[in-house]
Amino acid sequence: MQVNGKEKRYTYLALGDSYTIGESVAEKYRWPVQLVNRLNKAGRGFKIENPILIAETGWTTQELRRAVAEEKPAQDYDFVSLLIGVNNQYRGYPFEEYSEEFRSLLDLTIAHAGGNSNKVIVLSIPDYGFTPFGKPKQVTITKDIDRYNASNREISRKYGVKYYDITPISRHGLEQTDLVASDKLHPSAKQYALWVEEILNDREFLQLFE
């Protein structure tokens, strides 16, 4: 955190895959960007810089870890988010591999938050079984996503980081079609806004900026 006059300034690093980069939505509708904009517009006497995103469509845990190692981001961000795993599931990689690599990535994420687990947030993996693309294999996808999220939730709990279960929101995608982007697979701007609302409803998260 830097203090510019009376205004506190914060930095944010977002790590992930297509859900973080906002595949099929405009840049301003990516959930990390929406989160920053909502916080900055709240008039709380601080400003969060534009988020630094290390995320690409299709990335698995391995690919994200490799990208972070290559880009070498700073290790003193005021908060860092992590959302990863759907492509491990989609490619049929061993589940045990995901648990190991998620734990390793969470170590890395905390390191980039200055070693402070209180400055890290993890989001659950959304369920793409509730999209037109995923509907034909919904039962299998949902079962897998539940297993992956049970793992990342338990690991997050042990590490003491903030965890936001946005998966239930994604499971309205077939009945509320405006929650799905035009590609029939990824979340829409509206769904990302609901994720942001879930985070902002957490008093503990807001305490990061007090």
Side-chain angles (χ1 to χ4, degrees):
M1 179 185 70
Q2 295 180 337
V3 178
N4 182 10
K6 292 184 178 180
E7 184 181 62
K8 297 177 181 177
R9 303 180 76 87
Y10 295 90
T11 55
Y12 169 31
L13 173 66
L15 306 177
D17 50 33
S18 60
Y19 296 129
T20 294
I21 204 67
E23 181 72 21
S24 294
V25 302
E27 181 176 339
K28 65 181 179 179
Y29 295 127
R30 296 168 174 171
W31 77 261
V33 176
Q34 289 197 55
L35 177 61
V36 166
N37 288 340
R38 284 285 305 277
L39 287 165
N40 285 341
K41 289 177 181 178
R44 296 175 179 269
F46 62 78
K47 177 177 174 58
I48 302 174
E49 305 291 350
N50 290 334
I52 302 299
L53 274 60
I54 301 180
E56 287 292 342
T57 297
W59 274 0
T60 62
T61 47
Q62 286 183 350
E63 290 161 328
L64 175 58
R65 183 174 178 81
R66 188 157 53 242
V68 173
E70 290 173 356
E71 295 200 27
K72 298 179 174 63
Q75 295 196 336
D76 60 352
Y77 282 89
D78 293 303
F79 71 106
V80 186
S81 64
L82 177 64
L83 167 51
I84 193 71
V86 71
N87 294 299
N88 293 63
Q89 183 277 334
Y90 181 73
R91 296 187 196 179
Y93 288 178
F95 171 74
E96 294 73 19
E97 185 178 280
Y98 172 73
S99 296
E100 275 186 34
E101 291 176 356
F102 182 83
R103 188 176 289 106
S104 176
L105 268 172
L106 194 50
D107 281 325
L108 191 63
T109 302
I110 293 170
H112 288 289
N116 188 343
S117 60
N118 290 325
K119 295 182 177 181
V120 170
I121 67 173
V122 171
L123 274 67
S124 66
I125 303 167
D127 188 347
Y128 70 96
F130 287 81
T131 67
F133 176 88
K135 185 180 179 181
K137 297 182 178 180
Q138 182 186 86
V139 173
T140 299
I141 292 168
T142 295
K143 182 179 178 181
D144 287 349
I145 294 298
D146 280 345
R147 190 181 184 199
Y148 273 66
N149 281 333
S151 176
N152 61 40
R153 181 187 298 108
E154 178 62 17
I155 294 168
S156 297
R157 185 190 66 78
K158 289 180 178 178
Y159 276 72
V161 303
K162 298 173 182 63
Y163 185 89
Y164 299 99
D165 183 8
I166 53 79
T167 309
I169 297 171
S170 70
R171 287 176 173 160
H172 292 288
L174 290 174
E175 62 190 67
Q176 299 178 36
T177 57
D178 58 350
L179 295 181
V180 181
S182 59
D183 67 358
K184 309 299 183 183
L185 171 59
H186 290 92
S188 66
K190 180 178 179 179
Q191 183 175 160
Y192 285 137
L194 293 175
W195 295 9
V196 168
E197 199 66 39
E198 190 78 14
I199 297 169
L200 293 178
N201 283 336
D202 178 20
R203 177 63 185 163
E204 284 191 11
F205 173 74
L206 296 176
Q207 286 175 349
L208 286 174
F209 313 104
E210 293 180 350

